[in-house]
Amino acid sequence: MDSPEDQPEEVAQGIESGSTESADLGPPKKKFNQSKRFWAIMATLSITSILSALENTVVTTALPFITEQLDLGDNYVWVTNVFFLTGAAFQPFFGQLANIFGRRYVTLAIVAFFTLGSGICGGANNAATLIAGRAVQGIGAGGINIIIDVIVSDLVPLRERGNYTAIVLLVYTVGTALGPWVGGVIVANTTWRWVFWINLPVGGTALIMIFLFLQVGYNKEMSFMEKMKRIDYWGNLILVGATVSVLYALTYGGTRYSWSSANVITPLIIGLFGLGFFVWFETTKWVKEPVVPSRLFSNRTSITIFAVTFLNSALLYWVLFFLPVYFQAVLGSSASRAGVQILPSVLIAIPGAIFSVLLLAKFGKYKPLHLIGFAVCTIGLGLFTLFNPQTTTAEWVIFQAITAAGSGFVLNTLLPSIQAQFEEKDQAATTAAWSFMRAFGSIWGVAIPAAIFNNRFSELQGAITDPQVREMFSGGGVAYERAQASFIWSFPSPIREEVISVYSGALQRVWQISIIFSGLSFFLVFIEKQVKLRTNLETEFGIESKPKKDSKV
């Protein structure tokens, strides 16, 4: 079936406003139900979002310390990358499972994965165990990111969705904002293991609330074996394998191996080919129910939104993972203070993100919001290139605020704009595909600046006149690992100033390249076509009218 963009305006508006013809083809319309159970579910989703939000950033300030404690070397990047890798690779799978088995038990499994992974990470005594735990944790985190959006989409019409997304977003952003500070405080005052163990009580609370309150509709007629046959096993396997291959190349390119090395080129080609093969495979007769239906890429607007989602996510983590390096290595801040100094990048995004989704709910126009957001973000990243050892507090606060305001303006208006392109029956698959692009962007948003930083640092480290000190920073990933104020400021002057200057120069190149990514996003938005947001709700996954238990809620 054609998307709303590809149909005549009157037909597209009929789909979105719930015409008789459209209603006859899909599930019965559901009245937007703001009952006590609705608000209990919203509270449950908000608590669940804290898990993913906190863990996304709590590691940023603690990672250099963890890297040194467990002697990770250039494997440090896997602590973050494997988290984003598994999160990205399994999101389409969870979207399909949610359609087949319903939302409740899939959500319970997702949170259980995250909590289990947190426990494994906290108990890790070597790099392999830590990375394995982060992989399990990432599966849960990726699932959390998609399932929250899917459930909100089940409960709230598209046009009004921004008003309620803002509630979850507020809680999520508070968790994200606290992450760097919490990570710094934990490292400074107790064992780094609490960076992960802090999730255990939150995860337990979320599991109880999900079990009690998340009682929504699903297909009860189909048998378990019939549902199992609907899963796209081969499609999911191809997608996971291709994603792993690409990430391996990005992780070691320019660090352990040169970019021209067969150890980098081979997995990169295999991974990119695998992604292309996945796209083709999903269109073949062998796949009865594709995990990512090809119709999701059927028009220019959906393709554009997927692209800018990827770029915006990359830029978000670009900033979150390399601003702490600037604060600790260049300005000489402790890990806990760096966590406070990065707060403007998160806290300023709160009013920007909430204001933008409220504007979207009121006026139903997403394209102007995207243009404004990317324009402001590009300006802010340009100002980041001015960061140096003499940058004042006012300057780094204001520059962060500008960048964060732009990024926040875009962050939560992208999903509604992609959902508007397709009918409600495709919402879980659409949300899963969009979440995959967002998570895949996060992977590149850590790997690309890491490669840029390490390569540029290697080019500039000849400015360190002491050969013994220069040797301390030789080797891939070492410069990031050594980005601790206590280490850098242990050198006497003028060696200390030389080291700081090299860090400052390497980070400047990181920000220069980010301008290109943000500028490209701005120009891509002009390709988008504005589609009217639906005001009706048609879904089989709404709140159960007669729950088996807890009928008083």
Side-chain angles (χ1 to χ4, degrees):
M1 184 173 183
D2 293 336
S3 67
E5 178 186 310
D6 294 330
Q7 304 197 35
E9 183 176 359
E10 61 272 16
V11 176
Q13 290 182 356
I15 289 176
E16 288 149 7
S17 61
S19 65
T20 303
E21 291 80 7
S22 177
D24 291 340
L25 294 175
K29 296 180 182 179
K30 299 284 185 180
K31 184 178 180 181
F32 180 24
N33 185 359
Q34 298 184 61
S35 63
K36 292 180 180 179
R37 183 170 295 279
F38 169 81
W39 289 111
I41 293 175
M42 291 298 297
T44 300
L45 298 180
S46 297
I47 295 298
T48 304
S49 74
I50 292 177
L51 286 168
S52 179
L54 193 62
E55 202 60 29
N56 275 349
T57 55
V58 72
V59 177
T60 56
T61 49
L63 185 54
F65 183 82
I66 297 172
T67 298
E68 183 180 30
Q69 289 289 303
L70 294 184
D71 193 24
L72 299 179
D74 61 359
N75 285 318
Y76 78 89
V77 72
W78 282 105
V79 177
T80 53
N81 279 3
V82 77
F83 180 82
F84 296 127
L85 162 66
T86 53
F90 282 87
Q91 281 181 340
F93 177 62
F94 282 129
Q96 188 170 52
L97 289 184
N99 262 352
I100 296 172
F101 293 99
R103 314 318 197 202
R104 187 187 186 204
Y105 292 106
V106 171
T107 306
L108 284 169
I110 285 169
V111 175
F113 263 106
F114 186 91
T115 308
L116 173 63
S118 299
I120 295 173
C121 289
N125 290 314
N126 53 62
T129 304
L130 178 64
I131 293 171
R134 287 287 281 176
V136 176
Q137 195 182 43
I139 292 173
I144 288 171
N145 290 335
I146 171 189
I147 204 66
I148 288 176
D149 288 329
V150 168
I151 293 170
V152 172
S153 299
D154 292 335
L155 304 180
V156 185
L158 182 57
R159 179 63 182 271
E160 300 179 56
R161 208 163 285 167
N163 295 325
Y164 299 90
T165 300
I167 298 172
V168 180
L169 174 63
L170 178 60
V171 178
Y172 180 90
T173 312
V174 170
T176 303
L178 289 176
W181 177 77
V182 170
V185 169
I186 288 174
V187 167
N189 297 284
T190 184
T191 173
W192 59 267
R193 300 182 186 281
W194 278 104
V195 167
F196 304 104
W197 285 342
I198 195 174
N199 294 307
L200 301 184
V202 181
T205 302
L207 285 170
I208 293 172
M209 293 182 70
I210 292 166
F211 183 80
L212 292 177
F213 302 132
L214 189 57
Q215 303 197 31
V216 292
Y218 64 97
N219 188 336
K220 299 179 182 179
E221 304 300 323
M222 189 175 293
S223 69
F224 177 78
M225 291 308 300
E226 288 175 324
K227 291 179 179 179
M228 291 294 290
K229 292 178 181 178
R230 293 174 59 189
I231 299 174
D232 181 9
Y233 295 102
W234 284 108
N236 280 290
L237 184 62
I238 294 169
L239 182 60
V240 171
T243 307
V244 170
S245 188
V246 169
L247 180 62
Y248 179 88
L250 292 178
T251 299
Y252 289 127
T255 54
R256 177 177 293 184
Y257 308 111
S258 68
W259 284 104
S260 59
S261 169
N263 292 310
V264 174
I265 294 177
T266 301
L268 184 60
I269 292 176
I270 292 174
L272 294 176
F273 174 80
L275 291 174
F277 180 74
F278 167 77
V279 173
W280 169 81
F281 180 78
E282 294 295 277
T283 65
T284 65
K285 62 181 180 180
W286 299 305
V287 185
K288 295 182 179 180
E289 192 166 334
V291 64
V292 179
S294 59
R295 60 181 174 273
L296 300 185
F297 301 90
S298 61
N299 61 69
R300 74 169 194 251
T301 299
S302 64
I303 294 172
T304 300
I305 295 172
F306 281 131
V308 297
T309 295
F310 173 90
L311 293 171
N312 185 61
S313 181
L315 290 168
L316 174 63
Y317 286 91
W318 201 301
V319 170
L320 288 178
F321 275 85
F322 278 86
L323 268 182
V325 175
Y326 168 72
F327 289 129
Q328 295 182 69
V330 178
L331 296 189
S333 300
S334 64
S336 58
R337 178 166 172 75
V340 174
Q341 288 171 308
I342 201 177
L343 283 180
S345 287
V346 182
L347 291 179
I348 302 302
I350 296 176
I354 293 177
F355 185 55
S356 65
V357 294
L358 294 178
L359 285 177
L360 182 63
K362 182 173 179 61
F363 298 106
K365 303 291 184 181
Y366 50 80
K367 186 173 181 176
L369 301 177
H370 296 170
L371 287 171
I372 294 171
F374 281 119
V376 173
C377 183
T378 304
I379 293 171
L381 291 170
L383 293 172
F384 275 20
T385 63
L386 303 178
F387 284 155
N388 59 57
Q390 288 75 45
T391 299
T392 65
T393 299
E395 288 173 330
W396 58 252
V397 168
I398 293 173
F399 295 172
Q400 281 189 80
I402 294 172
T403 306
S407 180
F409 221 63
V410 174
L411 189 62
N412 283 80
T413 57
L414 288 169
L415 178 58
S417 63
I418 193 70
Q419 289 177 330
Q421 313 304 314
F422 307 101
E423 296 178 277
E424 289 291 343
K425 67 178 182 179
D426 285 326
Q427 291 306 282
T430 303
T431 303
W434 178 83
S435 295
F436 172 80
M437 295 302 297
R438 179 179 61 178
F440 199 51
S442 301
I443 295 170
W444 289 72
V446 176
I448 292 177
I452 295 169
F453 174 77
N454 289 326
N455 288 336
R456 185 57 175 165
F457 194 97
S458 297
E459 293 174 358
L460 298 176
Q461 69 180 24
I464 302 175
T465 56
D466 189 316
Q468 291 183 332
V469 175
R470 188 165 60 246
E471 183 63 26
M472 291 180 183
F473 292 95
S474 298
V478 174
Y480 184 93
E481 179 184 344
R482 304 282 191 183
Q484 300 179 56
S486 59
F487 176 75
I488 294 172
W489 286 71
S490 66
F491 297 118
S493 184
I495 299 299
R496 179 176 64 244
E497 285 74 20
E498 293 172 353
V499 172
I500 292 174
S501 177
V502 173
Y503 268 99
S504 182
L507 288 168
Q508 185 181 53
R509 177 61 55 85
V510 168
W511 306 130
Q512 288 170 344
I513 302 300
S514 72
I515 298 172
I516 299 173
F517 280 69
S518 188
L520 174 61
S521 301
F522 173 76
F523 287 109
L524 284 175
V525 172
F526 285 99
I527 302 176
E528 293 180 8
K529 183 177 180 180
Q530 183 68 51
V531 174
K532 183 180 177 183
L533 302 185
R534 295 180 292 274
T535 56
N536 65 295
L537 186 64
E538 299 180 10
T539 178
E540 62 179 297
F541 298 102
I543 297 174
E544 288 187 332
S545 56
K546 294 181 180 180
K548 296 178 181 179
K549 299 178 182 180
D550 195 24
S551 60
K552 295 181 180 180
V553 176

